[in-house]
Amino acid sequence: MIEKKEASPFQMTLEAVDQLSLEEKEMLFEISYRRFVEQRRDYLAQKIAEAREAYHSGVVRRGSVADLLAELAE
C-alpha cells in the first residue's frame, strides 16, 4: 500500500499563489517583500543591540588580527 504524503504548508502556499491573478501575485509580492524587509531590519537591530551589550559588558573586545595573534602568543 502506498502512503499519500500531506503537502507541506509551504507547498500548499505555492499552490494557492498559483491560483491568484497576475495582479494579485504582484500585490502579494510587494506586501510580502515589505514585511520581509521590516522583519530583517528588526532582526538586525536586535543583533546590533546584543553585540553592543556584549561589548559594553566585556564579553567581547575590539582589536586587530595582530592584537589577537599577540594575545594568543602570550
Side-chain angles (χ1 to χ4, degrees):
M1 177 188 265
I2 298 175
E3 290 185 37
K4 190 174 183 180
K5 290 185 178 180
E6 286 189 33
S8 70
F10 184 75
Q11 183 62 37
M12 290 170 36
T13 301
L14 290 177
E15 291 172 9
V17 169
D18 286 341
Q19 302 300 314
L20 299 174
S21 69
L22 190 57
E23 292 80 17
E24 291 171 323
K25 287 177 185 176
E26 185 176 5
M27 281 190 340
L28 177 63
F29 173 76
E30 290 174 6
I31 293 167
S32 296
Y33 184 71
R34 285 188 196 124
R35 288 181 179 182
F36 168 77
V37 168
E38 184 178 318
Q39 289 176 350
R40 182 71 174 153
R41 188 178 297 125
D42 290 345
Y43 171 80
L44 291 174
Q46 176 187 354
K47 291 299 178 186
I48 290 168
E50 290 172 5
R52 285 183 176 153
E53 178 60 33
Y55 177 72
H56 290 300
S57 65
V59 174
V60 294
R61 297 178 300 219
R62 284 179 61 170
S64 67
V65 173
D67 295 334
L68 174 63
L69 293 176
E71 186 176 325
L72 291 174
E74 293 177 0

